[in-house]
RNA sequence: GGCUCGGUGGCAGAGUGGUUAUGCAGGGGACUGCAAAUCCCCGUACGUCGGUUCAAUUCCGGCCCGAGCCUCCA
């Protein structure tokens, strides 16, 4: 297996440090509002990677955190006049609903920052003791100049960066590039007692401490959105490496590209945020998931109306092949080698999907029952790695998302029976009238050798 | 300005030093009462200018265009 490593800037062969325990940490959301489609790209991408790793290694420990203490959370809580727990549990629950809708399997651990304050304090103490951090005016700061490797992950020259720093430098910083590990809380803000007074952790130290607590000092894979490379992951790397006496923190750094809308970054300030909870009102979660996997994870993904429509049609074709195979004998055939090879080449999901369409075509052409059984099993197994095609085909075609107006199944069945009678009586005008009527109401009729079947069509 | 990554057929989107991506849309055909679904065939795409090479969309360089990051945004 090959994975692109941000630290080296190329695809490197991946071998776990310990094949008996493969470790992966992915930065999760800060739960202060509803998550948009871009926020779900890392969970979906790394869900696929986790599935792939689990197939190959007996024990994969996958951690994705939830950041539940943060200035934006504090602001939201203050705005609503509630405890931060009200805010964080609301949006964490919404996030989980989105994950479930997109078929994202649960991680092995989902640590929350507020439940890991002692390990965070402990790590900060160790950084101070080893001379990498210092306390000043209630803050604790990491002294970047004590870590020569700083900048290696993001390929930045620290001196130039510091020279070009455009942010006002806080007076308590020894050097402009130093970043905060702990900051003081005023009485009206959430805080925890610490050796440096009542306060709260900085953002970067959370992930370092939770990764250490759950996965140890060196992890195999660290993932997240491309925007986290700097400063978040650069800082994490500095903290963890220094706290662990120079041991490698993450052996592989993986970063997914952004989701854009009309080639623009999705951001509140731009006003082009597409929330998944809204999207789910119009499209099946499985189609959204496929939409997120149609491009390679490192490429930017431009999201538009066609993305979803396209994904739905693709699923129509794949599920259609499974449906037309009919009842086939169970087979334990696995995904073909070319499909696995595509995924093992830095998670090339577009190439892997192309293999699935080849399987679908072969399945559509197959006559022999044994061949059908095997091809259907292969297609399903391939789907299981991408988190697709796991429901009965009938269910896929019978679902209708959101809106009103579409006829209920019972009514459709009755009209189909009526049409069948008309067809038998050679009254094709009436039969076609029923079909056209249903089509106008969003139901497509198909006659097949197994009888007439129907499905809801989008738009 | 620095760093990272891109510009592929109508759209989406892989890949490759000389040979089919794949899906959708479109054209033709088979099947069908007519459709739909399915199958077969088709259009000969690689930003631009140079260089390397017997041969470049694929390697190298310049240029143009685009996205992201540059202290708390997935």
């Amino acid at each position: 297996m090959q994975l692109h490593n941000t630290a080296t800037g190329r695809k490197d062969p991946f071998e776990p440090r310990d094949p008996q325990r493969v470790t992966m940490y992915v930065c999760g959301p800060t739960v202060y509002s509803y998550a948009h489609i871009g926020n779900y790209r890392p969970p979906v991408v790394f869900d696929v990677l986790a599935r792939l790793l689990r197939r190959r290694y007996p024990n994969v420990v996958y951690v994705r955190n939830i950041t539940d203490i943060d200035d934006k959370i504090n602001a939201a809580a203050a705005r609503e006049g509630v405890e931060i727990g009200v805010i964080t549990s609301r949006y964490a629950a919404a996030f989980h609903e989105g994950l479930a809708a997109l078929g994202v399997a649960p991680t092995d651990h989902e640590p929350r920052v507020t439940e890991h304050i002692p390990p965070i304090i402990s790590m900060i103490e160790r950084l101070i003791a080893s001379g990498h951090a210092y306390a000043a005016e209630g803050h604790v700061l990491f002294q970047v100049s004590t870590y020569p490797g700083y900048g290696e992950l993001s390929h930045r020259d620290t001196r130039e960066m510091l020279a070009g720093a455009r942010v006002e430098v806080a007076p308590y910083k020894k050097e402009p590039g130093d970043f905060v590990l702990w900051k003081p809380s005023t009485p009206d803000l959430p805080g925890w007692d610490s050796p440096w007074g009542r306060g709260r952790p900085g953002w970067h130290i959370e992930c370092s401490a939770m990764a250490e607590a759950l996965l140890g000092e060196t992890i195999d894979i660290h993932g997240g959105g491309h925007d986290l490379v700097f400063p978040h992951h650069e800082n994490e790397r500095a903290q963890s490496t220094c706290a662990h006496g120079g041991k490698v923190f993450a052996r592989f750094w993986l970063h997914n590209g952004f989701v854009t809308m009309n080639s623009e970054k999705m951001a509140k300030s731009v006003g082009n945020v597409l929330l998944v909870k809204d999207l789910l009102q119009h499209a099946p979660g499985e189609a959204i998931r496929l939409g997120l996997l149609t491009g390679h994870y490192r490429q930017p993904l431009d999201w538009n109306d066609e993305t979803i429509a396209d994904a739905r049609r693709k699923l129509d074709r794949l599920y259609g092949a499974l449906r037309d195979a009919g009842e086939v004998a169970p087979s334990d055939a696995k995904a073909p080698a070319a499909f696995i090879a595509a995924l093992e080449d830095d998670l090339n999901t577009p190439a892997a999907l192309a293999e699935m369409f080849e399987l679908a075509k072969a399945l559509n052409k197959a006559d022999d029952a044994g061949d059908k059984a095997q091809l259907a099993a292969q297609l399903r197994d391939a789907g299981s790695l991408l988190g697709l095609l796991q429901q009965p085909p009938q269910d896929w075609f019978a679902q209708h998302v959101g809106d009103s107006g579409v006829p209920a199944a019972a009514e459709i069945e009755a009209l189909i029976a009526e049409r069948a009678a008309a067809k038998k009586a050679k009254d094709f005008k009436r039969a076609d009238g029923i079909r056209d009527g249903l089509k106008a109401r969003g139901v497509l009729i198909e006659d097949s050798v197994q009888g007439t079947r129907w499905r809801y069509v989008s738009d």
Side-chain angles (χ1 to χ4, degrees), chain A residues 261-316:
Chain A
M261 291 279 284
N262 304 315
S263 304
E264 243 186 332
K265 178 179 176 176
M266 192 176 293
K268 281 182 180 164
S269 53
V270 187
N272 61 352
V273 171
L274 187 60
L275 300 181
V276 164
K277 76 178 179 71
D278 295 334
L279 203 49
L280 283 167
Q281 300 301 308
H282 304 100
E286 191 171 354
I288 299 173
R289 180 183 180 101
L290 178 54
L292 286 172
L293 295 174
T294 49
H296 184 92
Y297 77 93
R298 279 193 287 123
Q299 297 306 122
L301 178 67
D302 195 46
W303 196 273
N304 53 53
D305 294 342
E306 271 304 298
T307 310
I308 275 290
D310 207 58
R312 293 183 81 151
R313 287 190 292 253
K314 283 176 175 162
L315 286 166
D316 281 344

Side-chain angles (χ1 to χ4, degrees), chain A residues 206-268:
Chain A
E206 306 164 357
C207 290
S208 285
M210 292 189 289
E212 176 192 70
L214 291 161
L215 299 174
E217 296 185 332
T218 296
I219 61 181
D220 286 309
I221 297 169
H222 192 129
H226 188 250
D227 58 330
L228 297 184
V229 175
F230 190 90
H232 186 53
H233 288 164
E234 192 69 74
N235 290 355
E236 262 187 66
R237 179 171 175 270
Q239 295 157 348
S240 293
T241 307
C242 291
H244 299 150
K247 288 193 189 115
V248 170
F249 172 44
R251 302 175 60 243
F252 279 75
W253 290 90
L254 271 61
H255 295 99
N256 63 273
F258 263 62
V259 177
T260 57
M261 291 279 284
N262 304 315
S263 304
E264 243 186 332
K265 178 179 176 176
M266 192 176 293
K268 281 182 180 164

Side-chain angles (χ1 to χ4, degrees), chain A residues 85-131:
Chain A
V86 175
I87 300 292
T88 57
S89 57
R90 179 198 304 157
Y91 295 115
F95 182 62
H96 286 135
E97 282 174 28
L99 292 177
L102 298 197
V104 176
T107 56
D108 299 288
H109 301 281
E110 190 178 65
R112 298 187 183 220
V113 180
T114 55
E115 294 165 1
H116 288 265
I117 300 297
I120 289 171
I121 290 175
S122 153
M123 187 175 255
I124 295 175
E125 286 180 316
R126 277 177 280 148
L127 285 169
I128 293 176
S130 56

Side-chain angles (χ1 to χ4, degrees), chain A residues 7-243:
Chain A
T8 61
R10 58 164 194 263
K11 281 195 236 180
D12 291 327
F14 174 76
E15 290 294 338
R17 189 161 155 276
D18 174 6
Q20 296 307 308
R21 188 168 187 268
V22 182
T23 52
M24 176 160 79
Y25 186 97
V26 174
C27 291
T30 299
V31 284
Y32 69 101
S33 70
Y34 292 109
H36 59 67
I37 183 71
N39 294 313
Y40 280 91
R41 194 174 190 189
V44 168
V45 163
F46 291 104
D47 180 51
V48 172
L49 180 55
R51 289 168 191 250
L52 188 64
L53 291 169
R54 289 187 204 286
R55 172 150 315 203
R56 194 171 170 135
Y57 301 104
N59 180 27
V60 175
V61 188
Y62 174 21
V63 176
R64 184 187 55 235
N65 70 289
I66 281 189
T67 295
D68 61 352
I69 174 69
D70 169 272
D71 286 349
K72 287 192 289 291
I73 294 172
N74 292 341
R79 211 160 40 236
E80 293 188 27
V82 297
E83 298 286 310
I84 59 167
V86 175
I87 300 292
T88 57
S89 57
R90 179 198 304 157
Y91 295 115
F95 182 62
H96 286 135
E97 282 174 28
L99 292 177
L102 298 197
V104 176
T107 56
D108 299 288
H109 301 281
E110 190 178 65
R112 298 187 183 220
V113 180
T114 55
E115 294 165 1
H116 288 265
I117 300 297
I120 289 171
I121 290 175
S122 153
M123 187 175 255
I124 295 175
E125 286 180 316
R126 277 177 280 148
L127 285 169
I128 293 176
S130 56
H132 292 290
Y134 57 93
E137 298 179 31
H139 294 72
V140 179
L141 292 130
F142 184 91
Q143 190 165 359
V144 168
S145 61
T146 66
Y147 177 53
Y150 194 80
E152 284 174 0
L153 174 64
S154 53
H155 308 285
R156 282 160 209 266
D157 184 315
T158 43
R159 287 164 309 175
E160 275 190 25
M161 263 165 32
L162 297 181
R166 55 184 164 83
V167 174
E168 195 178 335
V169 179
Y172 45 80
K173 286 189 181 181
K174 283 188 183 173
E175 296 171 69
D178 296 350
F179 57 89
V180 72
L181 301 176
W182 187 265
K183 51 188 166 189
S185 287
T186 54
D188 56 311
L189 287 174
W192 290 263
D193 289 328
S194 80
W196 319 285
R198 186 173 171 280
R200 58 195 196 279
W203 180 35
H204 314 298
I205 193 72
E206 306 164 357
C207 290
S208 285
M210 292 189 289
E212 176 192 70
L214 291 161
L215 299 174
E217 296 185 332
T218 296
I219 61 181
D220 286 309
I221 297 169
H222 192 129
H226 188 250
D227 58 330
L228 297 184
V229 175
F230 190 90
H232 186 53
H233 288 164
E234 192 69 74
N235 290 355
E236 262 187 66
R237 179 171 175 270
Q239 295 157 348
S240 293
T241 307
C242 291

